[in-house]
Amino acid sequence: MNIDTDAWFAVLAAARAHDRPDGPALERAAETGRLRIPALRSRAVPVTLPAPEGATGYAGVALLRLHDTEENAGNAFLDTLTVHPARRGRGAGRALWEKVRTRLAAEGRTSVSTLVERGGAGERFAVARGAECALPMVAYVQDVRTASTPATGVPLPAGYRFAAWSGVVPDAHAAAHARAHDAMEDAPSGDLDEQHDPWDAERIRAAARVVLDRGGVLLTVAVLAEADGAVAGYTELVLPTPDSVQALQYDTVVVPAHRGRGLGRAVKLRMLEYLRAQRPGVREIETTVADENTPMRAVNAALGYRAERNLGYYQVRL
């Protein structure tokens, strides 16, 4: 399918400016990369709704991600379904959804999930399509410029040390990093149908390449157990472009055997130091945390994150 990337971005940029006027502006390079390079272990299906009455451009756009692993062959994720603000209230969203639903049926998918803001128009639209909130979330933001870190360096319990890298994981840590990723299996998932997809070293590398191929930056800080080199915990930040002023928190994980020792707080503090050194232009970090993830919410509160938006993963069973 040939996509007019200018028209595609015009819809998303107009919607962002209308819906989140106080938030960071959408970055064209990042959106182009997301459209061009699919997420790992999935196929990206762009769906467009032409502007009516002979007008140029799109009235709305959607990006559907079809999982292609055995564990999630029946599931899909709706990355975006966005109608241009000037075209809202005229049935464009319903028409776009019907095109998405037709594709889902053709692919034999039994459920689709999406992330929307609770209490907003997106939630009302999703509920009207039969969606239910499967996992309540909150988006938190930390101001990198004012957040404090220990003047003498971030302390760690005896027997641990930090490692940090940009981009693809070094070979020396790849296998251990994959095992730590698998610790996410016990992360809150609510009522989502999507199943845990096991990690190995090659998947770790491939996931990093997706970020880099899209034109982004991936920063990782890990806590290593000195006894055996295991990754006891880690945190990842992604900058959609090298010039982004907002970094996105991907995973923050502490492996079960190493919990209760303050490693989650320590690894995020060390990331603050690393981020400031590597990317001094970044002003804030945004992260999402499930309502039921009490330990991580406590860590974020202690580090000065502020709750900004109530979100939720909504799911439609088809």
Side-chain angles (χ1 to χ4, degrees), residues 40-236:
L40 191 64
R41 299 191 176 188
S42 67
R43 288 180 288 128
V45 179
V47 180
T48 60
L49 189 70
E53 302 161 2
T56 59
Y58 300 132
V61 299
L63 186 60
L64 186 61
R65 196 171 83 208
L66 299 171
H67 302 303
D68 61 5
T69 61
E70 182 179 350
E71 293 86 353
N72 291 294
N75 308 325
F77 182 74
L78 187 57
D79 199 285
T80 187
L81 190 152
T82 305
V83 175
H84 194 290
R87 302 292 179 183
R88 294 176 181 175
R90 307 177 191 181
R94 291 191 298 274
L96 196 56
W97 166 248
E98 287 306 316
K99 295 180 76 168
V100 168
R101 189 181 176 96
T102 297
R103 182 59 183 263
L104 288 167
E107 295 281 346
R109 304 293 159 143
T110 56
S111 70
V112 59
S113 59
T114 191
L115 183 65
V116 300
E117 187 166 348
R118 286 183 279 162
E123 180 190 50
R124 293 191 293 274
F125 181 87
V127 169
R129 311 282 81 75
E132 296 181 352
C133 186
L135 183 63
M137 310 279 290
V138 175
Y140 296 88
V141 172
Q142 181 182 45
D143 191 325
V144 174
R145 298 163 296 181
T146 61
S148 60
T149 55
T152 56
V154 180
L156 275 177
Y160 295 97
R161 64 182 177 88
F162 287 117
W165 61 85
S166 178
V168 179
V169 58
D171 289 345
H173 303 312
H177 196 33
R179 289 192 290 271
H181 268 67
D182 263 339
M184 283 292 287
E185 186 173 7
D186 70 352
S189 59
D191 294 325
L192 289 167
D193 289 346
E194 187 173 341
Q195 300 299 305
H196 177 72
D197 192 359
W199 290 86
D200 57 24
E202 185 47 44
R203 184 184 174 194
I204 290 285
R205 297 184 183 101
R209 291 188 200 105
V210 168
V211 174
L212 303 181
D213 289 348
R214 287 176 172 179
V217 176
L218 172 63
L219 302 178
T220 304
V221 171
V223 175
L224 306 181
E226 292 181 336
D228 57 6
V231 173
Y234 69 90
T235 189
E236 296 172 329

